[in-house]
């Protein structure tokens, strides 16, 4: 079975890599969870392919062999059934279902969440239309759309939604868990290699479901510690007059929906801005976070993500001021 | 003749001529034709919507459709293909064929039958009218709450959807009761249940499934209606409602619905393969039993659509195990079709091509479905294009291929003319190639992490090439459908040959003229076996002599 598994994995990797760029596929797992799921997928694929090939070969063989010769009008021998055969092809699938069941139970046990421990990272994921709020409950950090986790750590996740059903999914790290309003779901994550892994909302949640994406940075422990200590700092104070003016705009206009406090306990309707420019993307991990893109966004949010709830009209000079301040929020 | 029967026959005459007569007809054959034609028009609409989606997704970051329009289109594509195409096509065949196959003069309740058709048509037109009245439904064919609540879906699209579903559910329910009563009450002498043609059997099981599953859907949409219009909070979480209540109610209908869609096609294939192999269906009792078993099991697997919603392990395993079990009766059917062809004398006319295509493609939809029943794999693959691929191998490679097999098979009975074989073969092969180009790469996209129902995607994830190939495949299917339309229209203009039995058939519908007279049979036939026409043509080898 092992060698089959390797072959299947290589075949799939071949297919997957033949596309244009690396796919977020669980067949190229970055965690033990996704690896177990990929193994199970491949083993079942092998079983299914064996059945598929046998049945289709049998079918094609019959089609070629038993074609009625032209001009032959005599009926073939009439056969009504065969109890032995029929029992055989009922019992074999029953046995296969037992095997499937055992494989399912085994994998479910292998990917079950470990008991909570003091070293775990506790993460509260909150689904919004259409962005992700990430609350590191024991680190005092609130951020959005981009997740940082240290390699090898156990991340215990609780999931809630403030509006409709979403689904949290980063294929290379774990299968998906629905984010259901009024019901707190649980899942866990772990990653066994550093890197950046992408995912996105998997349950249709309305207009911009397609632009509700996730980026997970799996950092080395040192990088993660550095990230945490930076995120825990309060937002930078403005220095120049322009930055000061921008800060006042942000505190006035933006603050009703966005917080500048990384440990804000109040639930705001928009992403936390305290360390906005430490992120690589914005608007549901859709656009690269560059000054140019952000300027376009502030100019007309509906053009870049039609239907999102941020609707604001800003004069160009206001945008300049706000950007001057926001850029400081590394 | 009593006065009453004189009046009846006068009414019948009046109901038989002229265009308007189609609006008052209660003849099961004419209602069947109305069903088939209306559903075919909806098929073209649903197919057009599929093409729009494929054009949108052919390249990344496309702006061909707005997100809002894309969401309406995919919702209406699914709703159309399920409620306005496959279900009414099956109802059309059922209406036309069941009385003929069981040697009856009409359905048990002809007027209810007309009511059922007109309600269906009105429901479909009503739902489509939403496009001109402020926007079509836009939350997917399973319209999950609370997204469908007024707060999140403020347009009237969902209201149109609710009312449309209620109308279509009503039409299907009375239609199903009519089928059940007809099959129980109106069978010709000697046509016992163990001699019923397989298509009649699968339509009967389908009808039971509809009668027992639709109340759950009706309840679900009525509660949603109360939420939206009268401020109730069944699904409104903020006021103590439950988001998952909808999913349980919906899928308790939704999974039997899958079998409502596929069983009639299985029945068609079980008629066509024996005739074109010159053989009785291999293991008839086992096939009938497997259809009934699928019917029962179909009610116990609904939550396999909900594996990612946070259910306890015990529930997950229960629904997984039941879902595996459905593979057993499905396997029995596939092996029975192979057994029927084995050492038969196969004639590859177009109905047979589509029937064999059904077996080959449905097998794929059965096998990739295993992945979705295995809980940890489903956590990865649910709500991705893997599911889209799976359901289209079942519903396109399965249901639609089965239905086309039936169209080519019974067209001569309905019109007195055959569809042209040459164009039929083009139609089959283009559709076969096209569907595999569309739906096979969807497996890969699902594995590569592409969720369903996204109106666009970014480049650089390896998704472009497969999406492009799929769009090419969709265009090939469109060409195949065009060829079918040409075939259909030109064949209708040919001179009628009125062959009663063009395929050397087995069942009673081939005993009467093509097209059949209003009264179907001058004399109600009596039956001694499962293949009355075979018995008639081969008295030495009659089934009842072989002790079937």
């Amino acid at each position: 079975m092992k060698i089959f598994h390797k072959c299947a994995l290589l075949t799939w990797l071949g297919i997957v890599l033949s596309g244009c760029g690396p796919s977020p596929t669980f067949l190229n797992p970055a965690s033990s969870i996704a690896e177990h799921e990929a193994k199970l997928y491949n083993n079942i694929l092998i079983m299914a392919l064996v059945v598929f090939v046998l049945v289709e070969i049998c079918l094609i063989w019959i089609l070629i062999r038993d074609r009625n010769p032209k001009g032959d009008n005599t009926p073939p021998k009439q056969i009504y059934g065969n109890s032995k055969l029929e029992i055989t092809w009922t019992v074999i699938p029953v046995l296969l279902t037992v095997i499937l069941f055992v494989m399912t139970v085994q994998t479910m046990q292998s990917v079950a969440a470990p008991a909570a421990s003091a070293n775990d990272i506790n993460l509260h994921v909150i689904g919004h239309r259409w962005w992700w709020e990430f609350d590191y409950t024991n680190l005092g950090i609130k951020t959005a759309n981009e997740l940082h986790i240290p390699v090898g750590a156990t991340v215990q996740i609780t999931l809630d939604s403030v509006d409709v059903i979403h689904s949290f999914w980063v294929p290379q790290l774990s299968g998906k868990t629905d984010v259901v309003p009024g019901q707190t779901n649980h899942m866990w994550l772990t990653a066994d290699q550093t890197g950046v892994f992408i995912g996105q909302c998997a349950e249709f949640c309305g207009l911009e479901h397609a632009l509700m994406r996730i980026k997970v940075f799996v950092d080395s422990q040192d990088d993660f510690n550095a990230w945490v200590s930076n995120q825990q700092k309060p937002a930078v104070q403005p220095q120049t007059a322009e930055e000061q003016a921008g800060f006042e705009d942000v505190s006035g206009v933006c603050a009703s929906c966005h917080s500048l406090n990384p440990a804000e306990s109040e639930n705001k309707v928009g992403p936390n801005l305290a360390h906005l420019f430490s992120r690589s993307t914005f608007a549901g991990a859709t656009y690269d976070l560059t000054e140019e893109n952000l300027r376009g966004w502030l100019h007309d949010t509906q053009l870049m993500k039609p239907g999102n709830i941020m609707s604001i009209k800003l004069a160009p000079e206001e945008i300049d001021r706000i950007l001057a301040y926001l850029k400081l929020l590394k | 003749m009593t006065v009453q029967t004189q009046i009846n026959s006068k009414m019948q005459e009046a109901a038989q001529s002229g265009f308007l007569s189609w609006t008052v007809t209660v003849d099961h054959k004419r209602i069947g034709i109305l069903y088939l034609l209306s559903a075919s028009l909806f098929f073209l609409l649903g197919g057009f919507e599929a093409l729009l989606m494929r054009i949108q997704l052919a390249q990344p970051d496309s702006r061909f459709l707005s997100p809002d329009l894309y969401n309406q289109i995919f919702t209406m594509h699914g709703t159309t293909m399920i409620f306005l195409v496959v279900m009414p096509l099956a109802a059309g065949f059922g209406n036309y064929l069941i009385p003929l196959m069981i040697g009856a003069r009409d359905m048990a309740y002809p007027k209810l039958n007309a009511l059922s058709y007109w309600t269906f048509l009105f429901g479909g037109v009503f739902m489509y009218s939403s496009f001109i009245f402020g926007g079509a439904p836009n939350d997917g064919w399973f319209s999950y709450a609370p997204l469908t609540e007024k707060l999140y879906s403020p347009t009237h699209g969902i209201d149109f959807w609710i009312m449309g579903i209620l109308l279509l559910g009503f039409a299907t329910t009375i239609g199903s009761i009519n089928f059940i009563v007809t099959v129980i009450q109106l069978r010709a002498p000697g046509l016992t249940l163990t001699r019923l043609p397989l298509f009649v059997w699968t339509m009967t099981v389908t009808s039971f499934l509809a009668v027992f599953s639709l109340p759950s859907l009706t309840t679900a949409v009525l509660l949603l209606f109360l939420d939206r219009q009268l401020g109730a909070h069944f699904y409104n979480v903020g006021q103590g409602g439950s988001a998952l209540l909808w999913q349980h109610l919906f899928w308790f209908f939704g999974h039997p619905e899958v079998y409502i869609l596929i069983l009639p096609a299985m029945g068609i294939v079980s008629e066509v393969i024996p005739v074109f192999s010159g053989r009785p269906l291999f293991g008839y009792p086992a096939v009938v039993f497997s259809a009934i078993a699928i019917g029962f099991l179909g009610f116990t697997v609904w939550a396999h659509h909900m594996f990612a919603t946070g259910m306890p392990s015990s529930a997950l395993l229960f629904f997984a195990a039941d879902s595996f079990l459905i593979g057993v009766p499905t396997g029995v059917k596939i092996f029975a079709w192979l057994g029927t062809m084995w050492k038969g004398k196969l004639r590859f006319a177009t109905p047979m091509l589509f029937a064999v295509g059904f077996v080959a493609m449905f097998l794929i939809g059965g096998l990739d479905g295993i992945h979705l029943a295995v809980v940890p794999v489903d956590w990865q693959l649910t709500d991705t294009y893997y599911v889209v691929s799976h359901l289209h191998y079942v519903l396109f490679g399965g249901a639609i291929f089965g239905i086309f097999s039936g169209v080519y098979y019974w067209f001569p009975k309905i019109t007195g003319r055959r569809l042209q074989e040459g164009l039929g073969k083009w139609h089959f092969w283009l559709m076969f190639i096209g569907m595999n180009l569309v739906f096979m790469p969807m497996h890969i996209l699902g594995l590569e992490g592409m969720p369903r129902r996204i109106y666009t995607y970014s480049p650089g994830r390896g998704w472009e090439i497969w999406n492009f190939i799929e769009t090419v495949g969709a265009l090939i299917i469109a060409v195949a459908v065009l060829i079918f339309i040409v075939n259909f229209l030109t064949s209708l203009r040919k001179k009628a040959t009125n062959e009663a039995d063009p395929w050397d058939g087995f069942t009673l519908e081939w005993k009467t003229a093509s097209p059949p007279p209003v009264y179907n049979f001058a004399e109600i036939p009596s039956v001694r076996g499962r293949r009355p026409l075979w018995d008639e043509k081969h008295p030495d080898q009659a089934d009842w002599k072989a002790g079937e």
Side-chain angles (χ1 to χ4, degrees):
Chain A
M1 217 56 181
K2 263 238 156 78
I3 186 101
F4 277 119
H5 172 67
K6 283 261 154 59
C7 288
L9 205 62
L10 284 177
T11 321
W12 278 116
L13 274 181
I15 290 170
V16 164
L17 296 176
S18 67
C20 336
S23 296
T25 171
F26 73 108
L27 298 179
N28 184 13
S31 78
S32 61
I33 307 170
E35 194 176 342
H36 282 295
E37 288 164 346
K39 246 185 204 153
L40 184 59
Y41 175 85
N42 284 325
N43 288 337
I44 293 168
L45 179 69
I46 291 161
M47 284 167 63
L49 279 178
V50 170
V51 175
F52 173 75
V53 169
L54 287 178
V55 174
E56 300 280 0
I57 284 180
C58 181
L59 174 65
I60 292 167
W61 182 41
I62 294 172
L63 295 181
I64 294 170
R65 187 196 60 184
D66 296 337
R67 194 184 184 106
N68 190 35
K70 272 223 160 66
D72 179 355
N73 288 325
T74 56
K77 184 165 178 270
Q78 300 296 297
I79 301 170
Y80 295 89
N82 181 322
S83 305
K84 273 187 199 150
L85 259 180
E86 288 168 46
I87 290 169
T88 311
W89 66 45
T90 310
V91 171
I92 291 178
V94 171
L95 294 178
L96 287 179
T97 64
V98 175
I99 297 174
L100 280 174
F101 190 74
V102 172
M103 289 161 78
T104 304
V105 174
Q106 280 176 343
T107 306
M108 280 174 72
Q109 283 169 345
S110 312
V111 302
S117 103
N119 299 328
D120 292 347
I121 291 179
N122 291 324
L123 179 72
H124 188 198
V125 169
I126 303 162
H128 295 255
R129 303 207 311 164
W130 294 275
W131 61 282
W132 297 96
E133 181 175 350
F134 297 133
D135 186 357
Y136 293 75
T137 49
N138 52 356
L139 295 174
I141 297 172
K142 257 191 183 170
T143 184
N145 302 321
E146 295 188 1
L147 199 57
H148 284 255
I149 61 173
V151 65
T154 297
V155 187
Q156 300 277 4
I157 305 180
T158 52
L159 306 102
D160 283 294
S161 166
V162 298
D163 38 52
V164 303
I165 301 174
H166 304 277
S167 194
F168 182 84
W169 185 36
V170 184
Q172 286 166 280
L173 299 182
S174 163
K176 55 185 79 67
T177 304
D178 287 352
V179 183
V180 182
Q183 169 182 316
T184 302
N185 276 345
H186 301 271
M187 67 180 282
W188 75 292
L189 276 188
T190 182
D192 49 26
Q193 64 192 71
T194 58
V196 183
F197 303 98
I198 50 178
Q200 69 187 96
C201 176
E203 187 68 78
F204 182 69
C205 54
L207 201 62
E208 291 295 353
H209 167 57
L211 304 188
M212 183 169 169
R213 301 174 186 169
I214 307 160
K215 219 168 164 178
V216 180
F217 294 80
V218 179
D219 299 333
S220 67
Q221 190 63 48
D222 289 347
D223 288 351
F224 180 74
N225 292 343
W227 180 81
V228 167
S229 58
N230 182 53
Q231 297 289 315
Q232 285 172 333
K233 285 182 201 150
V236 189
Q237 291 303 311
Q239 307 292 328
T240 67
E242 193 189 22
E243 289 165 13
Q244 177 65 33
F247 173 69
E248 280 162 17
D249 284 340
V250 172
S251 316
V253 184
C254 312
S256 54
C257 300
H258 299 275
S259 174
L260 281 173
N261 174 5
E264 174 70 62
S265 59
E266 193 193 332
N267 283 320
K268 296 281 191 175
V269 300
N272 193 296
L273 298 181
H275 297 280
L276 176 64
F277 265 82
S278 72
R279 311 206 271 264
S280 65
T281 55
F282 72 108
T286 302
Y287 293 102
D288 286 342
L289 186 56
T290 61
E291 194 182 334
E292 201 181 333
N293 279 345
L294 201 53
R295 187 183 302 280
W297 176 261
L298 292 175
H299 175 68
D300 186 356
T301 60
Q302 298 304 312
L303 201 67
M304 292 171 78
K305 195 170 177 178
N308 86 83
I309 60 168
M310 179 169 170
S311 58
I312 189 168
K313 278 274 163 276
L314 294 168
E317 59 276 13
E318 278 178 305
I319 295 178
D320 287 340
R321 290 202 299 263
I322 289 173
L323 277 177
Y325 177 65
L326 289 182
K327 276 192 300 186
L328 300 178
L329 300 174
K330 297 243 162 93
Chain B
M1 255 193 198
T2 66
V3 177
Q4 187 58 43
T5 51
Q6 274 177 355
I7 293 172
N8 280 352
S9 72
K10 279 264 184 277
M11 278 171 66
Q12 277 212 332
E13 253 169 55
Q16 274 164 37
S17 53
F19 182 75
L20 279 179
S21 69
W22 286 88
T23 61
V24 294
T25 184
V26 294
D27 176 359
H28 72 98
K29 294 180 289 299
R30 299 185 115 203
I31 292 173
I33 291 170
L34 286 172
Y35 259 116
L36 292 170
L37 288 179
S38 320
S40 301
L41 292 178
F42 282 122
F43 177 70
L44 296 182
L45 273 175
F48 178 67
E49 286 153 0
L51 273 185
L52 290 179
M53 283 190 280
R54 281 317 326 160
I55 293 170
Q56 164 77 4
L57 293 176
Q59 46 189 9
D61 291 333
S62 164
R63 297 243 161 178
F64 173 69
L65 297 175
S66 71
D68 183 36
L69 192 56
Y70 184 87
N71 295 343
Q72 294 177 34
I73 297 280
F74 83 67
T75 301
M76 284 309 284
H77 169 75
T79 305
T80 302
M81 289 305 194
I82 288 165
F83 292 103
L84 304 177
V85 177
V86 176
M87 284 170 83
L89 281 174
F93 280 123
N95 264 302
Y96 198 97
L97 294 164
I98 287 179
L100 287 169
M101 285 179 149
I102 65 173
R105 299 216 189 273
D106 204 321
M107 297 281 285
Y109 306 117
K111 285 175 197 157
L112 269 190
N113 205 14
L115 178 65
S116 167
Y117 165 74
W118 290 105
T119 312
F120 143 72
L121 183 67
F122 178 69
V125 172
F126 179 79
M127 237 193 241
Y128 264 91
S129 70
S130 60
F131 273 109
I132 33 178
F133 294 121
N138 53 2
D139 292 336
W141 86 273
F142 46 73
S143 288
Y144 274 1
L147 180 59
T148 43
E149 291 283 355
K150 211 155 199 170
L151 178 61
Y152 306 113
S153 298
T155 70
H156 282 305
I158 295 299
D159 301 314
F160 275 92
W161 189 80
I162 291 171
M163 299 314 285
I165 290 292
L166 284 174
L167 288 166
L168 295 169
F170 174 74
T172 304
T173 304
I174 51 178
S176 300
I177 291 171
N178 209 349
F179 284 137
I180 293 170
V181 176
T182 305
V183 172
I184 292 177
Q185 290 292 331
L186 302 183
R187 298 189 312 274
L191 187 55
T192 60
L193 287 179
T194 54
R195 290 174 180 163
L196 272 189
L198 238 292
F199 176 71
V200 180
W201 257 116
T202 57
M203 281 302 295
T204 308
V205 175
T206 300
S207 302
F208 274 106
L209 282 172
V211 168
F212 287 107
S213 67
L214 277 166
S216 189
L217 177 68
T218 306
T219 310
V221 297
L222 275 178
L223 299 186
L224 182 60
F225 179 83
L226 293 177
D227 273 15
R228 286 178 63 89
Q229 300 303 332
L230 299 173
H233 349 96
F234 290 101
Y235 310 116
N236 196 335
V237 178
Q239 272 82 39
S242 159
L244 292 184
L245 172 64
W246 170 270
Q247 293 190 28
H248 283 289
L249 287 173
F250 185 88
W251 289 117
F252 188 77
F253 149 80
H255 204 81
E257 171 67 16
V258 174
Y259 302 109
I260 291 174
L261 298 173
I262 193 68
L263 277 169
M266 288 174 157
I268 293 173
V269 169
S270 303
E271 297 298 327
V272 170
I273 288 181
V275 167
F276 288 88
S277 307
R279 294 270 290 277
L281 184 67
F282 191 95
Y284 172 99
V287 177
V288 169
F289 185 76
S290 75
I292 297 172
I294 286 177
F296 276 103
L297 283 173
F299 278 104
T300 64
V301 298
W302 78 90
H304 73 207
H305 297 269
M306 303 167 59
F307 281 162
T309 56
M311 286 194 291
S313 304
S314 51
L316 293 173
L317 287 173
F318 172 82
F319 286 106
D322 271 3
S323 307
F324 298 154
L325 279 180
I326 286 201
V328 178
T330 311
V332 166
K333 282 204 163 71
I334 289 178
F335 292 126
W337 294 320
L338 293 180
T340 307
M341 289 187 276
W342 179 268
K343 295 211 166 166
K345 289 191 172 175
L346 309 182
R347 294 176 288 147
F348 293 109
T350 314
M352 182 64 164
L353 290 181
F354 275 102
V356 171
F358 171 101
V359 178
M361 295 297 101
F362 177 74
L363 176 68
I364 299 178
L367 291 172
D368 64 11
I370 299 174
H371 278 127
L372 301 173
V374 172
V375 180
V377 176
D378 184 70
W379 285 334
Q380 283 287 355
L381 295 178
T382 186
D383 277 315
T384 69
Y385 265 88
Y386 206 85
V387 178
V388 183
S389 172
H390 160 69
L391 76 92
H392 282 95
Y393 268 97
V394 175
L395 292 184
F396 195 97
I400 294 291
F401 269 49
I403 284 165
F404 270 121
S405 172
V407 168
Y408 280 89
Y409 183 54
W410 283 300
F411 189 86
K413 178 51 60 185
I414 298 173
T415 67
R417 299 157 174 87
R418 294 193 200 204
L419 286 161
Q420 295 148 83
E421 276 295 304
L423 287 173
K425 292 201 160 105
W426 275 101
H427 171 199
F428 170 75
W429 283 109
L430 286 176
M431 203 161 236
F432 186 82
I433 293 165
M435 80 150 281
N436 280 295
L437 282 181
V438 182
F439 301 121
M440 191 51 84
M442 286 186 183
H443 286 118
I444 299 168
L445 282 175
L447 292 169
E448 289 186 339
M450 181 165 170
R452 65 195 290 198
R453 302 180 161 182
I454 55 174
Y455 71 86
T456 193
Y457 54 93
S458 293
R461 296 179 173 203
W463 300 349
E464 294 97 313
I465 178 77
W466 305 117
N467 273 295
F468 184 77
I469 293 172
E470 285 168 15
T471 304
V472 173
L475 292 170
I476 295 177
I477 293 180
V479 173
V481 172
L482 283 179
I483 290 176
F484 171 72
I485 294 172
V486 170
N487 195 356
F488 180 84
L489 295 176
T490 54
S491 301
L492 270 185
R493 305 183 113 217
K494 293 228 155 101
K495 195 174 166 329
T497 52
N498 300 101
E499 303 161 276
D501 181 18
W503 310 115
D504 198 7
F506 295 154
T507 37
L508 286 179
E509 76 271 28
W510 306 110
K511 200 176 160 69
T512 183
S514 301
V518 184
Y519 46 85
N520 290 351
F521 300 96
E523 187 187 344
I524 295 294
S526 73
V527 177
R528 292 187 75 176
R530 285 177 197 142
R531 296 184 297 165
L533 259 71
W534 167 273
D535 293 349
E536 221 176 276
K537 291 180 236 177
H538 306 272
D540 309 340
Q541 299 185 59
D543 284 346
W544 51 270
K545 281 188 183 160
E548 31 186 49

